Amino acid sequence: MNPFDLLPPGLKKRLIRWLEDNRGLVIVLFCLPASFIFDTGLSLYKWFQRTLLSAPERHDARVRQIQRRVGDWNKQDAPSRRPMCTSRPNWLSLSTTFFKKSECHRIPVDLYDILQLDTERMVVRVEPMVTVGDITRYLIPRGYTLAVTLEISDATCGGLALGVGMTTYSHRVGLYQETIVSYDVVLGDGSLVRATADNEHKDLYYCLPWSHGTLGFLVALELQIIPVKQFVHMRYIPVRGQKQYCDRMRELSGALDKDAKLPDYLEATVFDRDSAVIMVGNFAKVDTPEKAAKVNHVTRWYKPWFYKHVETFLTKGESDEYIPLRDYLLRHNRAIFWVLESMIPFGNHPVFRLFLGWLCPPKPAFLKFTTTPGIRAMTFSKQVFQDIVLPMTVLEESIDLSEKLFDTYPVLIYPCRIYDHGPSNRGQLRSPKSDQMCPGANYGMFYDLGVYGTPGPVRRKRGYYNPVESMRAMEAFIRKVGGYSFLYADIFLTEEEFNEMFDLEAYNRARKKYHAEGAFPRLYEKVRPEVDVVKIGNEYAQAE
């Protein structure tokens, strides 16, 4: 039972309002210290697991154990069998939802090792629970990084492979799935297969992305790596005028010219409808005193949050600096992009950063671990967390719609290629439409529209806001223009609308062919919110 439900309605309302008004103080006094202790204990456990128990040479034996457990599940009476899922706790995932694992047969998939670095093939082979933090610590000192590296250190390589990943290198290579060379998967019948883009399991290869663990247990994968230098030379380009920054992003990303010279990294942060800072990054050496004077370690605890640092260039004008590569790759980790501002409004104050910045951010696993029903409702009724894949042709329209529906800034833009792999190599994403294609290329330029924070009416405590109406209007727009919602976040789609947004024809064939029917939940069942977001959202709607 929710303790708040025991309080008289008037007291309950006043207490909730006090907690909302003083959320930053509550988080600083209680959540940050508790999160630090929680994270320390979790880190020690992982250190013990990966240092003392790590044994890449025992990978095959660990996989056979998973196969045996799946085999044992198959021996159960068919009517009593429940669909399988991993035993990893919900609170360790970065999804905002809480899939009901208690209703499934849970299989431990404790695979945390980096298995092999092959610099001839330019791939690294890893187990699925290796995190972005782990792989960047391993690869960067050796002169490499993943072609697509998410900015949040707790994200796992396997989670990104079976979900989706996109970053500021994606205008060159596409989504995370395009950089996966092979998947090793234990199927519902206990067999082990390796799926690649050109072997007999290529249909499975193309359906595993966006499948969220509904086709099998991922036990290893090979990822493309790229050679790097130790710094990123970052140019900050402030642009006034929506058409101007949208046109500039299309130009810099190569959306209209497949032969355009592309930067290594490209993103934009939109601070209001008519103001944005475009960031252009290229690998670089720092080999002169002049360059050394421009080095900025942006992830140090006392430094301004990265997006706040970026915002200063709207007044400073165009400038440049050199950022150590790992700092650049994890630049948004400390403020969780800009989500932390809604939690701790004073968190970017220099005094706070100096004395308490080292405690930030609160660990996502801790925030999920301590989520109550009331807090869970607030994650979608009082806040917005959405990443959306959209064609570059609707960039201006999407920013306008985001402002109308959510009235929150900043907004993130990451350009990304979406490839047309042909009708025989289909996954859950459809081929881009002809008017979305880059001329003469086999891809269209899309982008991630990242909308995170507190909607304007909620932040101001006045004005009408209904999360159900806003989210369903955005989802209708996404379907209309041929885009996709990232499925880590809450969706308000009916199953029929979900099937309209995603192409599930090949996925459904793969479920039958690869023994997933009855063995694993269906995709919509796996990713839909565990609570009635429509009912709760309407209850929490803010009147004028």
Side-chain angles (χ1 to χ4, degrees):
M1 175 181 288
N2 185 349
F4 282 105
D5 293 336
L6 301 176
L7 300 174
L11 178 59
K12 174 182 174 181
K13 184 176 181 179
R14 288 195 298 273
L15 181 57
I16 290 175
R17 176 52 64 93
W18 186 89
L19 289 173
E20 289 177 353
D21 292 342
N22 298 276
R23 190 181 184 200
L25 183 63
V26 172
I27 288 174
V28 169
L29 293 179
F30 298 102
C31 293
L32 283 184
S35 174
F36 176 76
I37 295 169
F38 178 91
D39 186 37
T40 300
L42 191 61
S43 297
L44 287 172
Y45 170 75
K46 289 181 178 179
W47 177 87
F48 176 81
Q49 188 175 49
R50 294 172 182 176
T51 303
L52 302 183
L53 301 181
S54 173
E57 69 279 3
R58 296 195 66 248
H59 169 75
D60 291 343
R62 292 195 293 264
V63 172
R64 285 194 293 271
Q65 186 177 30
I66 294 169
Q67 290 180 270
R68 283 194 294 271
R69 286 171 172 154
V70 174
D72 291 341
W73 175 87
N74 277 278
K75 294 174 184 175
Q76 297 176 9
D77 291 337
S80 63
R81 286 201 301 245
R82 295 181 295 174
M84 292 181 286
C85 69
T86 71
S87 62
R88 188 180 189 227
N90 263 315
W91 49 266
L92 279 175
S93 81
L94 294 181
S95 170
T96 62
T97 63
F98 289 78
F99 175 66
K100 295 180 180 179
K101 292 195 171 192
S102 60
E103 298 178 359
C104 293
H105 182 90
R106 285 167 279 191
I107 303 288
V109 184
D110 300 324
L111 301 171
Y112 295 89
D113 281 332
I114 298 170
L115 300 173
Q116 183 185 17
L117 175 63
D118 187 336
T119 55
E120 290 188 6
R121 295 174 57 223
M122 291 298 286
V123 298
V124 61
R125 188 167 184 246
V126 300
E127 292 181 331
M129 301 308 296
V130 171
T131 67
V132 169
D134 297 331
I135 199 67
T136 52
R137 277 190 293 269
Y138 176 82
L139 287 176
I140 290 175
R142 292 168 170 81
Y144 304 97
T145 191
L146 297 180
V148 174
T149 304
L150 201 74
E151 293 84 354
I152 303 300
S153 62
D154 288 338
T156 64
C157 293
L160 294 170
L162 298 186
V164 63
M166 179 191 294
T167 188
T168 54
Y169 199 79
S170 291
H171 66 292
R172 298 178 67 97
V173 296
L175 294 168
Y176 187 86
Q177 65 206 51
E178 302 292 346
T179 70
I180 299 175
V181 177
S182 69
Y183 303 84
D184 289 2
V185 184
V186 173
L187 303 177
D189 66 349
S191 60
L192 175 67
V193 301
R194 174 168 292 182
T196 70
D198 54 8
N199 72 0
E200 68 271 28
H201 304 300
K202 72 175 185 177
D203 52 347
L204 180 63
Y205 172 89
Y206 284 105
C207 289
L208 283 167
W210 300 79
S211 68
H212 290 264
T214 61
L215 292 174
F217 291 119
L218 181 65
V219 294
L221 65 158
E222 288 182 311
L223 295 160
Q224 290 178 8
I225 58 175
I226 57 173
V228 297
K229 296 174 183 175
Q230 293 303 303
F231 291 85
V232 172
H233 178 219
M234 180 66 74
R235 287 174 52 218
Y236 300 94
I237 307 170
V239 184
R240 301 287 183 178
Q242 186 188 70
K243 184 178 188 304
Q244 285 71 22
Y245 66 72
C246 290
D247 285 347
R248 193 74 186 275
M249 286 299 287
R250 282 187 276 264
E251 173 194 347
L252 289 168
S253 66
L256 305 176
D257 181 3
K258 66 181 179 62
D259 298 318
K261 184 177 180 180
L262 303 178
D264 292 321
Y265 295 109
L266 177 64
E267 65 180 300
T269 301
V270 181
F271 290 97
D272 60 52
R273 184 184 181 278
D274 294 310
S275 302
V277 176
I278 295 173
M279 285 153 276
V280 176
N282 287 289
F283 296 121
K285 293 181 179 179
V286 172
D287 49 10
T288 67
E290 292 77 16
K291 292 179 180 179
K294 291 185 174 184
V295 170
N296 186 3
H297 296 267
V298 297
T299 61
R300 290 183 177 172
W301 81 95
Y302 55 84
K303 291 281 188 173
W305 292 341
F306 184 70
Y307 81 96
K308 287 292 190 183
H309 171 61
V310 171
E311 189 175 18
T312 64
F313 295 100
L314 288 173
T315 53
K316 290 179 182 177
E318 185 170 340
S319 188
D320 72 315
E321 63 187 5
Y322 292 84
I323 304 176
L325 178 58
R326 192 166 190 271
D327 281 42
Y328 171 76
L329 293 175
L330 298 178
R331 66 201 177 281
H332 288 303
N333 188 68
R334 223 163 23 102
I336 319 177
F337 291 89
W338 35 87
V339 172
L340 197 57
E341 184 176 30
S342 64
M343 299 180 183
I344 310 175
F346 48 83
N348 192 51
H349 191 281
V351 176
F352 179 89
R353 294 199 313 264
L354 181 62
F355 291 103
L356 294 175
W358 56 276
L359 285 170
C360 292
K363 200 72 171 174
F366 173 78
L367 295 176
K368 287 196 72 174
F369 184 73
T370 57
T371 293
T372 65
I375 293 173
R376 175 68 181 100
M378 287 180 64
T379 60
F380 58 85
S381 61
K382 301 289 188 180
Q383 298 170 322
V384 56
F385 300 102
Q386 292 291 325
D387 283 287
I388 304 162
V389 185
L390 293 165
M392 193 67 90
T393 51
V394 299
L395 182 53
E396 291 93 338
E397 188 178 357
S398 70
I399 293 169
D400 289 344
L401 183 62
S402 173
E403 182 181 88
K404 175 184 176 182
L405 297 177
F406 305 113
D407 188 15
T408 186
Y409 287 98
V411 169
L412 170 147
I413 300 171
Y414 284 2
C416 174
R417 296 180 181 184
I418 299 292
Y419 285 89
D420 180 359
H421 290 292
S424 61
N425 298 321
R426 293 164 59 186
Q428 283 79 289
L429 304 190
R430 295 179 175 84
S431 298
K433 299 174 183 177
S434 57
D435 65 329
Q436 299 167 350
M437 296 292 286
C438 178
N442 65 334
Y443 59 84
M445 191 61 68
F446 283 56
Y447 61 98
D448 173 20
L449 180 72
V451 186
Y452 329 115
T454 305
V458 177
R459 184 176 63 253
R460 294 186 294 269
K461 297 184 175 64
R462 66 178 185 273
Y464 178 77
Y465 179 70
N466 185 313
V468 178
E469 294 175 4
S470 294
M471 275 305 306
R472 286 191 55 76
M474 177 58 80
E475 289 171 341
F477 172 76
I478 296 167
R479 297 197 307 277
K480 182 183 77 171
V481 302
Y484 309 93
S485 297
F486 277 36
L487 298 177
Y488 79 87
D490 289 304
I491 57 173
F492 289 66
L493 299 161
T494 66
E495 186 164 7
E496 182 181 357
E497 291 165 343
F498 184 85
N499 294 340
E500 180 186 342
M501 180 178 289
F502 293 94
D503 182 357
L504 300 182
E505 185 178 338
Y507 165 83
N508 288 329
R509 287 199 303 268
R511 277 183 63 84
K512 294 176 182 177
K513 178 178 177 180
Y514 291 102
H515 313 288
E517 291 286 4
F520 300 100
R522 295 183 300 112
L523 180 55
Y524 182 73
E525 293 172 346
K526 186 71 181 290
V527 302
R528 68 179 177 182
E530 80 291 354
V531 295
D532 188 340
V533 290
V534 173
K535 179 176 181 290
I536 295 172
N538 283 323
E539 290 174 355
Y540 275 75
Q542 178 173 298
E544 289 285 357

